Amino acid sequence: MKIVAADIIVSSPDRNFVTLKITTDEGITGLGDATLNGRELSVASYLRDHVAPLLMGRDPHRIEDTWQFLYRSAYWRRGPVTMAAIAAVDVALWDIKAKAAGMPLYQLLGGASRTGIMAYGHASGRDIPELFDSIRRHLDEGFRSIRVQTSVPGINAVYGVAAQPSATGQRYDYEPAQRTPLPAEEDWDTRAYLRHLPSVFEAVRGEFGPELPLLHDGHHRMTPIQAAKLGKALEPYDLFWLEDCTPAENQEALRLVRQHTTTPLAIGEVFNTVWDYQTLIREQLIDYVRSAVTHTGGITAMRKLLDFAAQYQIKSGIHGPTDISPVGMAAALHLDLAIHNFGIQEYMKHTPLANEVFRQSFTFTDGYLHPGDQPGLGVELDEEVAARFPYEPAYLPFNRLKDGTIHDW
Ligand code: GCO
Ligand code: MG
């Protein structure tokens, strides 16, 4: 088999997605998700201008060799753009291999290690009653694990808090990317946040009892000592995890956090290689790996990363917000089903429009996802529908403190 085409499809059904479609001389096609929220066109160009020409004539079955070729021959290693592009190629090649084998992709990864994939949903509210409503709605939808984010008194716009119900009463999950010509400015005050958050978890535990797994995302905003303080303050509420408590480019920061708290820690949605985790995993400074399959070099690289983590009883918590397309979600689900050290899967539902562009076969039943049993990833791209929604510039917001200083968002 030979690769004869590699097309990059940029489409914006409610939000931007970049999709790679690889076509072979036997007519089998494979899809990869190359979406990098707020920087979409850089990956599209990397693929179109620099990678697609290299793929022509290659044997699509040689996945490991293609991965190493793209990683090493570029000379310039790592980084979100490069690793998202490599991930898209990798996932598309796995899709082709599994379709050629006539099997769902997870079978090629060793087969199912479980019957379903526990997923967590995103509940949020501006105040406690709104938050409780949102939690109840997620429970009604079937979620059995819930991420809790709320507004903080004194801060105007807080990460993770969904837009208000529309006139029709419909509620939406929080969507950070905004179709604005410039990134929106938000405000932040870590002390106000630290004062407020434990009372939110106390209220949620009081209302929903001790069993419900609860998660929280700190979105990189704390210093190590602040994170240590929060982890300690949240211990009575038995979190499933506290995510991205510090900006973890400095992996050593987690040593300090770890000394002070037994709250489980999840990190890594902004990472792109195993090297970003070296200290975190070897010193057992985290409990969950948060990388996206789509930003970390695809299934080939994620499998190696998660196998490394498994030696230290560290589990997966693969990134799955709406900026991961249904193609990227499907790749995550096949891996989740196959690996032994699965922890939990993030799941934010895509809009009906996005689901029209990407026809998926994965299911969500009683809180558990399953990738389905179609050959390959189980996702088809409707290029005609995709073409109706051209790219629209969109940015993630950023933070300033009260005195105007830029802060991590
Ligand atoms: C999460 C993330 C997302 C990111 C988003 C940025 O835990 O799901 O923090 O909400 O903010 O992926 O593009
Ligand atoms: Mg996060």
Side-chain angles (χ1 to χ4, degrees):
M1 220 191 303
K2 276 192 171 62
I3 297 174
V4 294
D7 299 301
I8 291 84
I9 297 107
V10 183
S11 173
S12 197
D14 292 329
R15 63 163 356 283
N16 291 317
F17 293 113
V18 179
T19 309
L20 171 69
K21 178 182 157 195
I22 295 182
T23 305
T24 66
D25 57 351
E26 294 183 15
I28 301 181
T29 58
L31 296 176
D33 175 16
T35 310
L36 191 61
N37 207 4
R39 295 292 184 272
E40 293 87 359
L41 298 185
S42 56
V43 190
S45 159
Y46 193 105
L47 283 168
R48 185 182 295 123
D49 300 329
H50 304 290
V51 172
L54 309 181
L55 297 176
M56 293 310 112
R58 287 184 75 86
D59 176 358
H61 281 305
R62 297 185 64 187
I63 298 178
E64 178 72 28
D65 183 68
T66 302
W67 197 100
Q68 299 295 344
F69 168 65
L70 293 177
Y71 185 75
R72 289 168 204 282
S73 70
Y75 186 64
W76 310 107
R77 296 183 185 196
R78 306 163 64 178
V81 175
T82 299
M83 299 313 290
I86 294 177
V89 175
D90 184 80
V91 169
L93 295 184
W94 277 107
D95 192 17
I96 289 170
K97 193 185 276 294
K99 282 179 181 167
M103 288 181 184
L105 175 49
Y106 71 82
Q107 294 292 9
L108 304 192
L109 303 174
S113 286
R114 57 195 50 78
T115 52
I117 297 159
M118 182 164 77
Y120 73 89
H122 289 191
S124 69
R126 283 174 311 173
D127 51 27
I128 297 288
E130 230 178 66
L131 174 64
F132 284 3
D133 276 1
S134 173
I135 294 175
R136 279 192 200 100
R137 179 176 61 96
H138 280 84
L139 293 173
D140 289 347
E141 283 178 19
F143 284 102
R144 296 290 170 264
S145 306
I146 309 277
R147 187 182 88 159
V148 170
Q149 307 291 136
T150 55
S151 295
V152 175
I155 306 180
N156 294 320
V158 177
Y159 163 80
V161 181
Q164 288 319 291
S166 66
T168 57
Q170 212 180 348
R171 282 163 182 267
Y172 298 98
D173 256 340
Y174 173 72
E175 173 59 72
Q178 292 163 27
R179 286 170 168 174
T180 47
L182 290 172
E185 183 177 319
E186 298 186 347
D187 54 344
W188 183 247
D189 177 347
T190 309
R191 289 189 66 227
Y193 164 75
L194 292 177
R195 279 196 304 275
H196 182 64
L197 198 67
S199 67
V200 172
F201 277 91
E202 186 183 14
V204 173
R205 276 285 175 235
E207 179 74 12
F208 295 93
E211 242 175 81
L212 181 65
L214 298 176
L215 302 84
H216 179 73
D217 192 344
H219 230 251
H220 328 271
R221 288 160 192 212
M222 288 166 272
T223 63
I225 202 69
Q226 289 169 334
K229 185 176 176 177
L230 180 65
K232 217 164 151 176
L234 294 178
E235 278 171 22
Y237 314 114
D238 189 26
L239 263 61
F240 186 96
W241 78 34
L242 171 61
E243 176 184 345
D244 286 334
C245 59
T246 62
E249 291 98 316
N250 176 16
Q251 298 182 41
E252 289 162 21
L254 272 294
R255 285 188 191 135
L256 189 142
V257 182
R258 209 53 159 174
Q259 277 164 19
H260 291 281
T261 180
T262 56
T263 293
L265 302 173
I267 279 190
E269 68 183 37
V270 298
F271 294 172
N272 25 75
T273 69
V274 68
W275 306 105
D276 303 322
Y277 287 95
Q278 217 181 11
T279 304
L280 295 177
I281 292 178
R282 217 176 34 210
E283 297 186 19
Q284 305 188 117
L285 302 179
I286 57 170
D287 302 281
Y288 296 93
V289 165
R290 279 288 285 144
S291 271
V293 175
T294 55
H295 299 150
T296 315
I299 287 171
T300 298
M302 270 299 266
R303 180 80 202 234
K304 292 175 188 180
L305 165 56
L306 291 171
D307 283 347
F308 174 40
Q311 311 314 310
Y312 300 87
Q313 292 176 282
I314 296 169
K315 296 186 177 189
S316 70
I318 299 181
H319 196 215
T322 38
D323 42 296
I324 306 295
S325 88
V327 175
M329 266 308 281
L333 298 183
H334 285 280
L335 195 54
D336 287 334
L337 200 67
I339 56 173
H340 178 250
N341 57 328
F342 168 75
I344 200 167
Q345 173 64 52
E346 181 180 28
Y347 178 40
M348 262 177 102
K349 292 182 178 170
H350 288 108
T351 62
L353 205 53
N355 293 335
E356 238 186 275
V357 171
F358 299 96
R359 304 229 179 85
Q360 321 141 24
S361 56
F362 60 80
T363 53
F364 180 60
T365 321
D366 294 332
Y368 288 88
L369 289 157
H370 192 284
D373 281 301
Q374 279 185 26
L377 284 169
V379 184
E380 298 298 328
L381 174 71
D382 188 324
E383 290 184 60
E384 274 173 31
V385 183
R388 295 208 325 254
F389 304 101
Y391 169 79
E392 289 191 32
Y395 284 103
L396 289 168
F398 73 106
N399 270 332
R400 283 192 195 276
L401 305 179
K402 275 206 177 61
D403 70 353
T405 307
I406 298 260
H407 192 71
D408 297 282
W409 178 79

